């Protein structure tokens, strides 16, 4: 059973972000939940084809704010689905202004996670 694991960066940013952009945050969370449900139904991440999922490179993925509401601010919730541990690491959230930084933060997280898993040799 796949589990969500929220990183400190996400927990710090989401509180402030949700105050200003409640609907966008709720939509992104619902989209992430749809991903989690697909994984728990036995699908591989590459089998979950939805318009709100974005490949950010180096294993980093994001879901956007697609869903209910009008005139929503472009929002991305960044995550990494780790198949060996069946864990979806929720890394950060942001808008277009922070996108470059958020992608790098998530890619760096994935890189560190993979490096820490490598057997020392």
């Amino acid at each position: 059973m796949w589990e969500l694991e929220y990183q400190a960066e996400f927990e710090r940013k989401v509180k402030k972000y949700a105050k200003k952009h409640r609907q966008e945050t709720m939509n992104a969370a619902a989209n992430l939940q749809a991903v989690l449900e697909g994984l728990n139904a036995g699908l591989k991440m590459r089998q979950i084809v939805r318009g709100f999922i974005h490949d950010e490179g180096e294993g980093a993925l994001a879901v956007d704010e697609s869903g209910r509401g009008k005139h929503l601010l472009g929002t991305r919730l960044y995550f990494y689905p780790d198949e060996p541990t069946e864990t979806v690491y929720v890394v950060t959230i942001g808008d277009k202004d922070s996108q470059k930084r958020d992608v790098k933060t998530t890619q760096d997280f994935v890189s560190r996670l993979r490096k820490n898993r490598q057997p020392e040799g």
Side-chain angles (χ1 to χ4, degrees), residues 28-94:
N31 292 341
L32 181 62
Q33 186 62 37
V35 169
L36 186 65
E37 288 170 6
L39 292 169
N40 280 328
L43 297 175
K44 299 287 186 196
M45 193 64 223
R46 68 183 173 278
Q47 294 174 304
I48 303 173
V49 180
R50 302 298 271 286
F52 56 72
I53 300 172
H54 305 274
D55 184 345
E56 302 293 352
E58 307 297 324
L61 298 171
V63 291
D64 65 28
E65 79 294 345
S66 298
R68 299 180 63 175
K70 295 181 181 179
H71 311 294
L72 299 175
L73 178 69
T75 297
R76 297 270 170 101
L77 189 159
Y78 297 87
F79 67 99
Y80 172 65
D82 186 48
E83 288 189 14
T85 63
E86 293 191 346
T87 303
V88 174
Y89 292 96
V90 183
V91 180
T92 192
I93 190 169

